[in-house]
Amino acid sequence: MTDELMLLMGALCLYLLPIGLVAGSKRTRGHEKNGWLIGTLLFSWVALILYFSMIPKGGKQKKHR
């Protein structure tokens, strides 16, 4: 019983980790972040990998004229 509970808690933590990483990231904000959070809820680690590969590290860059 205890081993099963520990395994379940570990799986839950691994599922929630990408959601916490996206929620705490400063790369996006507003509706864009909400979209990434929904994607991460549905596709967990795949969406996290896409998030870090597609969004620039410094967030949105301002265009200079």
Side-chain angles (χ1 to χ4, degrees):
M1 173 87 179
T2 306
D3 293 335
E4 294 170 355
L5 184 60
M6 292 298 288
L7 183 63
L8 182 62
M9 292 299 290
L12 183 63
C13 288
L14 284 175
Y15 177 75
L16 293 176
L17 180 66
I19 297 166
L21 290 173
V22 171
S25 174
K26 296 191 186 293
R27 292 181 179 207
T28 56
R29 62 187 134 207
H31 292 300
E32 185 179 12
K33 183 174 287 226
N34 293 338
W36 280 106
L37 284 171
I38 291 170
T40 307
L41 276 170
L42 298 175
F43 301 108
S44 196
W45 287 96
V46 174
L48 181 69
I49 292 168
L50 288 174
Y51 178 77
F52 283 122
S53 65
M54 293 175 63
I55 304 299
K57 187 171 185 173
K60 289 186 177 180
Q61 303 293 327
K62 292 184 180 179
K63 294 182 181 177
H64 297 285
R65 293 184 189 194

